[in-house]
Amino acid sequence: MLERAHRGLLVRHPTLLDPQARRQLRELLKRHEVLRTVVEFRDRLQGIWDETSASHGRALEAIARPVRSG
């Protein structure tokens, strides 16, 4: 089970973390492969969401790509 402080690292957007917290997050993800995979997928989905200029078709393809390659 993750400590309360570690859960906070996962909930906050990485750009809002101070350097020490970012370092702690990197160390946490090094130790927990499954958690690292979840965070990577979360970041990919956030990137897709942020692409406001992407067409509907491009967005669907981008979402499907990690599923096919996973």
Side-chain angles (χ1 to χ4, degrees), residues 5-18:
H6 290 149
R7 286 182 283 199
L9 295 173
L10 297 169
V11 172
R12 293 198 62 143
H13 193 279
T15 60
L16 299 176
L17 297 174
D18 62 42

Side-chain angles (χ1 to χ4, degrees), residues 17-35:
L17 297 174
D18 62 42
Q20 180 182 354
R22 274 187 240 135
R23 189 170 44 256
Q24 289 174 338
L25 179 59
R26 280 193 307 270
E27 291 300 317
L28 179 67
L29 297 178
K30 282 181 187 178
R31 291 191 311 266
H32 299 281
E33 182 179 350
V34 172
L35 186 57

Side-chain angles (χ1 to χ4, degrees), residues 21-66:
R22 274 187 240 135
R23 189 170 44 256
Q24 289 174 338
L25 179 59
R26 280 193 307 270
E27 291 300 317
L28 179 67
L29 297 178
K30 282 181 187 178
R31 291 191 311 266
H32 299 281
E33 182 179 350
V34 172
L35 186 57
R36 182 175 60 245
T37 300
V38 169
V39 169
E40 288 171 358
F41 276 102
R42 178 196 66 186
D43 293 346
R44 286 184 197 176
L45 288 171
Q46 184 65 51
I48 293 166
W49 183 265
D50 291 342
E51 285 185 31
T52 56
S53 64
S55 70
H56 181 69
R58 277 185 43 211
L60 287 175
E61 175 59 29
I63 290 170
R65 190 175 315 123

